Amino acid sequence: MKGEVSGSEKSALSLFFEPQSVAVIGSLREGYFGGYVVVKTLLNAGFGGKIYPVNPSYQEVLGLKVYPSINEIPEKIDLVLIMINRRSVPDVMRECAGKGIKSVIVVADGFAERDEEGAKLQNEILEIAREAGIRILGPNTAGVVNSANGLIPDPYEPGYKKVKPGAVAICAQTGMINPQAFPYADLHYGVSKICDYGNKCDVDECDLLEYLESDPATKVITMYLESIQDGQRFLKISKRVTAQKPVLILKSGRTKEGAKVSASHTGALAVDDQIFSAACKQAGIIRLEKFRELFELPKIFSLQPLPKGNRLGIVTFTGGVGVLAIDEGSKYGLSVARLSPEIAKKLDAIFPGLGKTVVDIGPPMAVNNYMTIYSEIIKTVLSDDHIDCLFNVIWTSPFKEFVEEYLKFYGELRGSHQKTIATWIYGPSIPLINDMSGRMEDLGFPVFSDLETAIKALGIAYQYSNRKKGEE
Amino acid sequence: MMGKFSIFDQVKKEGRSILTEFESKKILKQAGISVVETKLAKTQKEAVSLSQKMGFPVALKITSPDVIHKSDSGGVKLSINSVAEVKKAYDEILKKVRKQYPDAIIHGVSVQKMALPGTEVIVGTSKDPQFGPVIMFGLGGIFVELLKDVSFRVIPVEQRDAQEMIKEIKGYPLLQGYRGKEPANISALVEIILKISKLIEENPQIKELELNPIFAYKNKAVAVDARIILE
């Protein structure tokens, strides 16, 4: 029954992410897609559990024994991935039922998303699953990732082996979030879990929210939604989850159902998207506007502490950026912090005229022992009680040595303060910016792609923290 | 709490789904929402004595389950100031409605005390295919009709939700007392929203409900017109 998650159901869901053994049913032909790639990506990521490739035409693949069918596998299987022609999926599902399998990822496509026959097949496999107590993820999905145990059964070649463990869980009704579609490795982007839940014929957004709520590795959940299965259940669960960890949602699909003709104003005005927005406000969900934000904004929650208030400090190399930051901040209720008199005095002593609302470190840059001064300035600003969060702008310079010095400083700074810091790195060299950004995030300092996103990250962190305070 | 309202059973028995204004207001009153004093007159004589008891000015409105758009059919007369006007209005209303709806069942004519003008707001509910019952708040008149300046929440709502939905509309400054206008009593509006949310939660047979308008004053808020539609 939907809506009532029993103990066994919960554990069935955890099998999608924490299986001891995985059976891979599909083509084992070497290539860019299919069972072969799944086995390869699992091996590359160092998956700790057992891997059972299943295919009647092979004896061995990538050094692993291949079984002609799952019935031939002598041991218990926690998770099955199915990547075969849609018409053969029901038969394989019946085999899974016979073998007592509880969790199946149907990677295969051509179901409800394609045509009537596909919709029928989807219903058929769902019926088999319900009867046998199997949970289905998909169909039409690129599947899951668990960074902690090397579970990367990617049906497409990502070209890199591992995903850095982190605290962001990313879910979507699309494979645009799986390793083959996003440069997690290049960006040093840390995730706990990734889940494409495809057509969500069974496992849906509510199930995932519930699982991730109790997942200790996940500090923040970010989700792309196309529709909601059960609005009341979604509201209830997400309200509970947001009280513990932030939930960020990007939603598409303003459906036709909304503007139905009605005898009253209320019915006619209740357009779906507006209702979804209202539900988000009630549940404390942070609503995203752009696909890019799905990845960027959660970093403020996964890497930084929540701000205690709305006072925004700004460190910049140019006055213009400071003014833009103040404008952006006001959109989210951030107000520019007035430095405390003693801190302003200290800064002025470091460099004349530095102790202003916007700390402009452009002028002191000309000084010889710049990095020493830079360290002092940042430490002094961070010690100010009048600041809750900091928009930290860094200019890389064209020199690698410079970047290394910055990184050395931030390595030392790590963990020495309680402020929320959002960093924006700019400069004349893309490779240097990218290199520094990734390594800053390794150190726990999230770097955002532009000024607006950095400020928005601080803004939503403040709003989340403020709401949470109201509930305590 | 379900089945608390015998009117619902009566309406169902008659094969109707739309409650008259008079019936809707009875329900709302029982739910603890203040509504403009409204009595049903079955004769002209009754209309006269009710108006005298209430005190002028009064409004007369047709009460018939078959007449949904009361003003369009000439079934509403406002700002009536004397016994003679009551008599005339009563006859005219019946004549016009009977002409337009010869087969209409007519319960009578409701006599209502004319409310002092206040800031007009609207509270309504409907059912969303994904989220179930939802509640809407907005400023009345052109604000809702033309500008669609309304806010929504999914039922049930909490105090915070009700407060937020009032503050969320663009016209909120009007409720705070704009250009010397009397400010509206926000907590009275919050209370109405919460009571309506509870009413809908406890009576899932209500498909749509609308209080339009509610007159908001400095010290209270009163529903002037109301409509309830059952599933």
Side-chain angles (χ1 to χ4, degrees):
Chain A
M1 269 290 287
K2 286 233 153 181
E4 298 162 42
V5 173
S6 66
S8 66
E9 243 182 317
K10 215 162 195 175
S11 66
L13 211 68
S14 72
L15 288 180
F16 285 107
F17 298 97
E18 299 146 51
Q20 298 296 315
S21 53
V22 178
V24 182
I25 305 173
S27 163
L28 294 177
R29 195 158 53 99
E30 209 172 314
Y32 307 111
F33 169 77
Y36 175 85
V37 180
V38 169
V39 174
K40 193 176 146 200
T41 54
L42 281 170
L43 290 171
N44 279 345
F47 174 59
K50 295 218 169 94
I51 306 168
Y52 301 106
V54 177
N55 190 310
S57 323
Y58 289 76
Q59 263 80 52
E60 198 193 292
V61 69
L62 295 161
L64 295 172
K65 178 178 159 62
V66 176
Y67 295 83
S69 82
I70 47 165
N71 282 323
E72 311 287 322
I73 300 170
E75 278 146 283
K76 192 174 150 278
I77 304 154
D78 285 344
L79 177 63
V80 173
L81 274 93
I82 302 178
M83 275 155 294
I84 53 175
N85 184 290
R86 61 177 182 171
R87 286 183 186 145
S88 312
V89 176
D91 281 341
V92 172
M93 281 298 294
R94 280 184 202 102
E95 281 181 43
C96 289
K99 178 93 177 137
I101 283 152
K102 293 293 166 215
S103 301
V104 173
I105 300 178
V106 181
V107 177
D109 62 359
F111 289 86
E113 85 282 4
R114 184 171 301 164
D115 54 18
E116 217 167 292
E117 190 195 346
K120 264 182 156 170
L121 283 166
Q122 187 167 307
N123 281 336
E124 193 182 345
I125 62 169
L126 185 60
E127 262 174 47
I128 298 165
R130 289 263 152 90
E131 210 160 290
I134 299 173
R135 298 299 311 256
I136 296 179
L137 188 71
N140 185 28
T141 169
V144 296
V145 166
N146 180 356
S147 62
N149 62 359
L151 181 75
I152 307 186
D154 204 324
Y156 308 89
E157 177 59 73
Y160 57 91
K161 292 183 175 178
K162 293 195 184 201
V163 174
K164 186 175 99 180
V168 183
I170 306 182
C171 304
Q173 286 177 256
T174 167
M176 287 295 288
I177 55 164
N178 294 74
Q180 87 288 342
F182 192 78
Y184 290 102
D186 281 354
L187 293 175
H188 302 219
Y189 194 104
V191 299
S192 55
K193 310 284 187 298
I194 296 170
C195 182
D196 166 14
Y197 52 111
N199 292 4
K200 60 171 181 185
C201 80
D202 177 24
V203 172
D204 66 9
E205 55 282 346
C206 291
D207 297 319
L208 289 166
L209 282 172
E210 283 198 316
Y211 169 72
L212 294 169
E213 176 190 13
S214 55
D215 175 32
T218 298
K219 268 170 77 179
V220 49
I221 302 162
T222 180
M223 193 174 250
Y224 165 69
L225 266 181
E226 279 169 7
S227 64
I228 289 174
Q229 214 79 345
D230 177 345
Q232 288 278 339
R233 183 175 171 229
F234 174 79
L235 189 58
K236 211 170 124 197
I237 292 173
S238 51
K239 213 170 185 172
R240 201 183 65 218
V241 179
T242 61
Q244 294 183 54
K245 15 187 127 168
V247 176
L248 287 65
I249 291 185
L250 177 70
K251 183 170 178 292
S252 66
R254 295 160 193 238
T255 63
K256 53 228 169 283
E257 292 239 49
K260 62 181 166 119
V261 183
S262 165
S264 71
H265 292 302
T266 313
L269 287 168
V271 181
D272 279 5
D273 193 63
Q274 212 176 349
I275 303 297
F276 181 72
S277 282
C280 285
K281 283 174 196 152
Q282 271 172 282
I285 290 167
I286 298 156
R287 213 175 157 187
L288 305 174
E289 290 161 78
K290 296 172 191 162
F291 187 65
R292 175 181 211 117
E293 294 176 347
L294 192 68
F295 300 96
E296 288 226 13
L297 292 176
K299 293 191 294 191
I300 198 75
F301 296 106
S302 65
L303 300 174
Q304 289 287 296
L306 288 177
K308 295 190 174 62
N310 71 336
R311 297 168 304 175
L312 171 69
I314 299 168
V315 173
T316 165
F317 287 71
T318 62
V321 162
V323 177
L324 283 170
I326 294 171
D327 284 352
E328 281 300 309
S330 69
K331 287 184 190 168
Y332 309 100
L334 297 176
S335 70
V336 65
R338 288 186 181 282
L339 300 179
S340 60
E342 56 279 25
I343 296 293
K345 224 166 133 190
K346 264 194 197 170
L347 288 170
D348 279 336
I350 295 171
F351 194 88
L354 201 58
K356 300 236 175 67
T357 309
V358 172
V359 180
D360 185 349
I361 53 175
M365 283 220 36
V367 177
N368 266 341
N369 55 342
Y370 168 67
M371 200 41 83
T372 318
I373 287 194
Y374 177 82
S375 319
E376 259 184 77
I377 295 170
I378 298 294
K379 281 184 195 160
T380 308
V381 169
L382 286 174
S383 70
D384 194 341
D385 291 342
H386 290 194
I387 291 176
D388 300 308
C389 55
L390 181 70
F391 175 48
N392 181 30
V393 182
I394 301 175
W395 176 65
T396 57
S397 89
F399 311 113
K400 179 122 180 74
E401 311 86 74
F402 225 78
V403 166
E404 295 302 330
E405 285 202 51
Y406 275 129
L407 288 165
K408 197 172 151 242
F409 165 66
Y410 281 99
E412 287 160 12
L413 187 70
R414 182 182 197 181
S416 69
H417 63 91
Q418 279 305 306
K419 310 271 194 262
T420 317
I421 306 179
T423 302
W424 176 43
I425 297 177
Y426 76 104
S429 153
I430 288 177
L432 267 193
I433 292 170
N434 288 350
D435 176 49
M436 183 168 171
S437 299
R439 289 167 67 194
M440 280 290 278
E441 294 199 349
D442 287 340
L443 294 173
F445 297 98
V447 179
F448 299 90
S449 60
D450 52 41
L451 180 155
E452 290 81 3
T453 312
I455 297 289
K456 184 168 184 177
L458 293 175
I460 61 168
Y462 156 65
Q463 286 168 352
Y464 177 76
S465 153
N466 195 36
R467 182 183 164 102
K468 225 179 158 187
K469 259 191 233 157
E471 273 163 5
E472 274 160 13
Chain B
M1 289 295 270
M2 267 168 70
K4 177 179 146 193
F5 302 108
S6 56
I7 293 173
F8 290 154
D9 304 331
Q10 182 61 30
V11 166
K12 276 265 133 104
K13 219 192 275 167
E14 288 173 20
R16 294 191 275 141
S17 61
I18 302 177
L19 273 67
T20 64
E21 179 189 345
F22 184 69
E23 290 164 335
S24 302
K25 280 181 173 169
K26 258 192 172 168
I27 302 270
L28 293 166
K29 215 173 158 185
Q30 284 181 63
I33 289 158
S34 81
V35 295
V36 162
E37 188 183 5
T38 304
K39 297 259 157 74
L40 188 63
K42 293 195 168 139
T43 63
Q44 195 194 54
K45 211 175 143 194
E46 260 179 42
V48 168
S49 79
L50 284 172
S51 326
Q52 280 173 320
K53 252 182 241 162
M54 275 180 203
F56 294 107
V58 294
L60 262 56
K61 295 184 188 176
I62 188 73
T63 299
S64 159
D66 301 317
V67 181
I68 294 157
H69 301 289
K70 297 186 291 277
S71 350
D72 298 351
S73 57
V76 177
K77 299 273 179 197
L78 303 174
S79 304
I80 299 165
N81 277 305
S82 66
V83 169
E85 277 181 61
V86 171
K87 286 182 178 166
K88 196 171 154 233
Y90 187 93
D91 286 342
E92 269 181 30
I93 285 173
L94 285 185
K95 209 171 123 195
K96 280 194 177 150
V97 170
R98 285 225 167 94
K99 196 176 161 199
Q100 206 168 332
Y101 301 96
D103 302 324
I105 294 165
I106 293 171
H107 292 172
V109 171
S110 72
V111 181
Q112 313 187 6
K113 180 107 181 97
M114 280 297 290
L116 290 170
T119 308
E120 284 186 34
V121 304
I122 164 173
V123 170
T125 74
S126 67
K127 286 193 177 163
D128 178 76
Q130 280 186 336
F131 285 95
V134 294
I135 187 162
M136 182 190 88
F137 174 81
L139 285 170
I142 63 155
F143 292 99
V144 58
E145 278 160 28
L146 197 64
L147 304 174
K148 308 205 182 330
D149 182 16
V150 293
S151 58
F152 284 92
R153 287 296 182 274
V154 178
I155 289 170
V157 297
E158 295 169 20
Q159 176 122 359
R160 170 171 67 192
D161 301 321
Q163 282 163 343
E164 278 177 3
M165 68 191 291
I166 293 170
K167 287 189 185 149
E168 208 173 286
I169 58 164
K170 293 187 192 79
Y172 177 64
L174 282 172
L175 294 173
Q176 292 175 299
Y178 179 70
R179 287 200 174 167
K181 225 181 151 196
E182 185 182 272
N185 190 312
I186 303 294
S187 54
L189 296 176
V190 167
E191 205 179 303
I192 290 179
I193 291 170
L194 292 174
K195 281 177 176 164
I196 292 293
S197 169
K198 193 160 170 261
L199 177 70
I200 299 297
E201 206 189 344
E202 287 168 357
N203 297 277
Q205 68 268 50
I206 298 176
K207 189 178 165 202
E208 290 181 38
L209 173 154
E210 195 160 87
L211 310 187
N212 184 22
I214 295 165
F215 280 1
Y217 307 104
K218 203 172 160 183
N219 57 347
K220 60 177 180 180
V222 181
V224 175
D225 200 349
R227 170 182 299 174
I228 292 175
I229 300 168
L230 302 180
E231 289 286 355

